[in-house]
Amino acid sequence: MNAHRQLCIGFSLSATWMKGHGWRRPDSGVERMSSIDYYIELAKLAEKAKLDFLFRADYLYVSPQMLGDSANFGSPDPTMIFAAIARETERIGLVTTISTTFNPPYVVARQLQSLHWLSNGRAGWNIVTSIEGAENFGMAAMPSPEERYARASEFTDIVRKLWASFPHEAVLIDRESGQFTDPKQVSPIDHSGEFYNVQGPLTLPAHPSGNIPLFQAGASDIGRNFASSVADAIFAAMPDMESGIELRHDLRRRAEELGRDPNAIRILPGLYFFLADTREKAQGLFEAANAHLSTERRLASLKSVLGLDLSGFSLDHRVTEDLLPDPDQPVRSRTHAELLRRYIINHQPTVAEVLSRPEVLGSAHWVSVGTVEDVLNDIIQRYEAGAIDGFIALPGGSEQSMELFFEQLMPRLVELGLFRSEYSGSTLKEHLGIS
């Protein structure tokens, strides 16, 4: 175990404990999901536990799953949610999600710098290229992954240039001379590229805490190249430890080849945990969370994710490499498709095992089910194996999972020296150890 570096831990504000039929529990509190006060309460719980940051995903389209039998109050703009939370918290980081495919870079640079000022240096940007939603933005279809990542690279470069175009040092506030800012330090960026033309400078100065940390979740080959080139932290898709070790090693290697310090990036999977005082109760929560996903829905999901139709096979039939479709065919998520392909090639699982994979059930999160000690040991095992630098906490099943996380699991991590007992800084950069 690394004695010099503690875990980096974030908390998702996406009410994952109400997925599936969790919202139907009498104690779910689902009616409160429409109130900002609910998310402020969660934010304060996470800050009390001294977590590094809060995270909120974003969706710019309405899928059938959103309107089905799972709890969903839509997808409000996460940056606006964090603007409200910024006024009610003091230390915890606020990582918002903004797409580079559907937004102008100047607007995004301004929004993020505004959140950075509102939170006094706690903003973070989760860069996404989006996989659906083109029709909501005047596009006939989604651009190819290659184009989306090319846009994202240029977009991110522009945003960074805009942040630098009006440095904090340009603000003089010199009453004696009457000079408020130094115009010589504020300059246009005059960017002319393949996708964007942006003059600049930005309309507000940089925050004195410095650059806004960047997060990314690319796990396909092209996504890994982008993530390793820009991200301070990477939201890794790792449903099992084997894929986690491979991904973390590969991302660190790519970062080093690009001239970056591999220790400067943090690999953070989503940890979707189901906690209870017994393993049987925890397993019950897990099964209830997925009970709405019939075999037919899972087969349809598999076809969407991988392009593989297993509807004609029995559940105990072995899925071998020769059954896999062309890897170049269009799929909903190339990241999930590649994870599933690798799993099938390496393990020749049964149809039932494939249909129980996280990628098919709705995500590629690391799932851990059991008591506090079970999940704690799972975290320690992955950390010691070199698969993770931390995780995003995604409580599952019921609010009890979240309560046990804050009341018992986090204190155990602190006792073991794997997490801080107090904040040592007040900005997201300081929490992440970014110089």
Side-chain angles (χ1 to χ4, degrees):
M1 190 178 298
N2 189 336
H4 303 291
R5 188 168 174 180
Q6 295 179 322
L7 290 163
C8 175
I9 302 177
F11 182 79
S12 171
L13 287 181
S14 296
T16 47
W17 49 94
M18 293 192 197
K19 280 188 175 182
H21 291 169
W23 64 274
R24 298 175 62 182
R25 294 170 59 93
D27 61 348
S28 72
V30 65
E31 293 80 8
R32 302 176 62 211
M33 283 179 64
S34 59
S35 168
I36 186 61
D37 293 336
Y38 182 56
Y39 298 100
I40 289 172
E41 287 178 23
L42 296 176
K44 289 182 175 180
L45 279 174
E47 186 169 65
K48 184 179 179 182
K50 310 301 185 289
L51 298 193
D52 291 281
F53 60 87
L54 299 165
F55 165 71
R56 175 85 184 192
D58 194 24
Y59 302 94
L60 298 171
Y61 64 97
V62 177
S63 70
Q65 290 78 15
M66 285 183 174
L67 299 176
D69 49 8
S70 292
N72 191 288
F73 269 89
S75 185
D77 189 309
T79 308
M80 295 187 70
I81 290 177
F82 283 130
I85 289 174
R87 296 294 300 160
E88 301 290 337
T89 54
E90 297 179 353
R91 299 274 191 106
I92 195 163
L94 310 173
V95 181
T96 188
T97 298
I98 305 179
S99 173
T100 56
T101 301
F102 302 135
N103 292 287
Y106 194 95
V107 171
V108 171
R110 185 166 176 255
Q111 286 177 335
L112 287 164
Q113 196 63 260
S114 297
L115 181 61
H116 213 34
W117 275 101
L118 286 171
S119 63
N120 199 22
R122 294 185 283 135
W125 176 22
N126 176 36
I127 306 167
V128 297
T129 63
S130 302
I131 58 174
E132 293 181 274
E135 297 80 6
N136 292 331
F137 296 89
M139 300 178 182
M142 288 298 299
S144 68
E146 290 75 18
E147 181 181 332
R148 295 204 308 274
Y149 276 107
R151 280 182 175 273
S153 181
E154 185 179 340
F155 191 112
T156 305
D157 183 49
I158 293 168
V159 168
R160 285 173 148 177
K161 287 178 180 177
L162 287 169
W163 288 338
S165 70
F166 195 157
H168 181 71
E169 293 75 17
V171 182
L172 302 177
I173 315 182
D174 189 333
R175 288 181 171 84
E176 189 172 331
S177 68
Q179 191 171 21
F180 190 85
T181 57
D182 180 0
K184 295 178 181 177
Q185 295 190 56
V186 183
S187 58
I189 66 170
D190 293 324
H191 176 91
S192 179
E194 181 180 357
F195 301 102
Y196 304 101
N197 292 290
V198 181
Q199 180 180 338
L202 202 59
T203 56
L204 76 166
H207 188 269
S209 66
N211 293 335
I212 295 170
L214 304 181
F215 294 69
Q216 222 279 318
S220 63
D221 186 62
I222 190 171
R224 292 183 187 199
N225 281 336
F226 176 63
S228 59
S229 70
V230 301
D232 298 297
I234 297 170
F235 293 156
M238 54 171 72
D240 49 61
M241 188 157 67
E242 178 186 44
S243 63
I245 293 171
E246 184 277 328
L247 177 62
R248 182 171 180 270
H249 174 78
D250 185 56
L251 288 167
R252 287 169 60 84
R253 175 188 61 79
R254 293 181 194 230
E256 192 167 26
E257 288 176 354
L258 292 167
R260 301 185 67 196
D261 178 359
N263 293 316
I265 60 173
R266 285 107 179 101
I267 311 303
L268 310 175
L271 171 53
Y272 190 26
F273 54 84
F274 294 79
L275 284 170
D277 52 8
T278 68
R279 292 176 181 173
E280 291 73 24
K281 289 180 182 178
Q283 185 64 32
L285 289 175
F286 175 73
E287 291 173 0
N290 296 300
H292 64 297
L293 297 173
S294 64
T295 299
E296 289 72 24
R297 286 181 66 171
R298 296 183 191 209
L299 286 166
S301 175
L302 174 64
K303 191 171 182 179
S304 171
V305 170
L306 189 57
L308 177 61
D309 185 357
L310 294 179
S311 57
F313 296 91
S314 64
L315 291 177
D316 60 357
H317 186 87
R318 289 282 169 187
V319 183
T320 51
E321 184 175 358
D322 60 291
L323 293 176
L324 291 171
D326 184 344
D328 294 324
Q329 72 171 341
V331 291
R332 181 176 180 274
S333 169
R334 188 173 290 188
T335 293
H336 291 184
E338 290 185 8
L339 283 166
L340 270 176
R341 291 184 71 88
R342 191 178 300 119
Y343 171 70
I344 289 170
I345 291 169
N346 291 340
H347 299 283
Q348 292 83 51
T350 65
V351 172
E353 287 169 336
V354 171
L355 296 183
S356 68
R357 290 287 293 180
E359 301 94 322
V360 175
L361 297 177
S363 72
H365 294 313
W366 155 27
V367 178
S368 188
V369 182
T371 65
V372 167
E373 287 299 313
D374 290 332
V375 177
L376 175 67
N377 290 333
D378 202 3
I379 293 168
I380 293 172
Q381 183 182 31
R382 294 206 182 200
Y383 182 56
E384 290 182 335
I388 64 170
D389 294 298
F391 57 88
I392 313 296
L394 305 164
S398 75
E399 282 199 354
Q400 181 190 30
S401 279
M402 179 174 61
E403 292 166 359
L404 288 172
F405 170 74
F406 284 123
E407 295 172 5
Q408 296 186 31
L409 182 55
M410 284 307 305
R412 290 285 288 122
L413 288 171
V414 172
E415 286 174 18
L416 293 171
L418 288 171
F419 198 70
R420 69 169 73 86
S421 57
E422 292 292 339
Y423 284 116
S424 58
S426 59
T427 68
L428 180 55
K429 280 181 64 175
E430 289 173 309
H431 302 338
L432 297 177
I434 300 173
S435 59

